[in-house]
Amino acid sequence: MTDLSPSPATTAHHAAAPRSVRAAVLTVSDTRSEETDTSGQYLLAELRAGGHEVVGYRVVKDDALIIRSTLTDFMRDAVVVISSGGTGITGRDVTIPVVESLLTKPMPGFGELFRMLSYREVGGAAMLSRAVGGLAGHTLLFALPGSLNAVRTAWEGLLRDELGHLAFEVARHGQPGTAQPGQAGGVG
């Protein structure tokens, strides 16, 4: 049987990780508003309950230019941006190509683990998810499906307990050629 307890290095990184990160939430939907956005409201509540600072929240239509503009706006101040919606395979689902075009360091493990967790819940339908995560300059981007169940799965199974550690890893040695949020320019 494999021991799944964290290594001493992982434990040390978690201990050094910030308890609070600046985060933004983007919901991509042609039908939801802030009042009906259960997935976005769930993320906002969970981020705040975890002691994180929410620096942005928006609901936008499934439009690649609007999604890109909103993400790049959020990336100026947020260390983590989590989007929900627009990750399927219909013609209107354009979030993933936009997010992928912004990523400088993809984290394929995020999508793989998300689909593994989803498979346990929804079976083969998990293959329809194109959830993706990675680093875009100095900002971590995670694109999740729009359903509340999928967002809850990603938050509880992957992001909640790793958010500070992820932020620590991004800042630990800086990122080449990118300014950290709040800096005038240069390497963070």
Side-chain angles (χ1 to χ4, degrees):
M1 182 165 195
T2 303
D3 180 14
L4 296 178
S5 57
S7 72
T10 300
T11 302
H13 288 182
H14 277 268
R19 299 290 171 237
S20 176
V21 301
R22 288 182 316 281
V25 174
L26 172 64
T27 297
V28 178
S29 175
D30 286 336
T31 60
R32 293 184 189 171
S33 66
E34 288 187 17
E35 295 76 29
T36 62
D37 177 23
T38 56
S39 297
Q41 294 301 326
Y42 170 83
L43 284 170
L44 292 170
E46 290 296 313
L47 285 162
R48 289 179 178 129
H52 302 291
E53 179 186 357
V54 176
V55 297
Y57 167 65
R58 265 188 227 144
V59 177
V60 301
K61 300 290 184 200
D62 286 286
D63 178 278
L65 294 176
I66 295 171
I67 295 167
R68 175 181 289 280
S69 172
T70 305
L71 287 172
T72 55
D73 183 43
F74 284 165
M75 288 168 56
R76 289 186 186 96
D77 295 316
V79 174
V80 176
V81 177
I82 305 171
S83 73
S84 69
T87 65
I89 60 171
T90 72
R92 294 289 297 155
D93 292 325
V94 297
T95 303
I96 296 303
V98 172
V99 170
E100 287 177 337
S101 74
L102 294 170
L103 295 180
T104 54
K105 294 183 181 178
M107 293 183 348
F110 174 78
E112 294 162 1
L113 288 169
F114 174 78
R115 283 179 284 282
M116 179 194 73
L117 294 172
S118 294
Y119 181 76
R120 294 177 183 164
E121 297 175 11
V122 299
M127 78 174 86
L128 293 170
S129 170
R130 296 186 299 151
V132 66
L135 189 62
H138 63 268
T139 305
L140 291 154
L141 294 181
F142 296 98
L144 313 176
S147 78
L148 178 57
N149 188 50
V151 168
R152 189 176 283 131
T153 296
W155 178 256
E156 293 175 5
L158 298 170
L159 296 174
R160 177 183 59 203
D161 298 333
E162 291 297 325
L163 217 51
H165 180 214
L166 290 164
F168 169 78
E169 288 296 328
V170 170
R172 187 156 61 121
H173 296 291
Q175 297 299 319
T178 65
Q180 298 297 322
Q183 290 182 342
V187 177

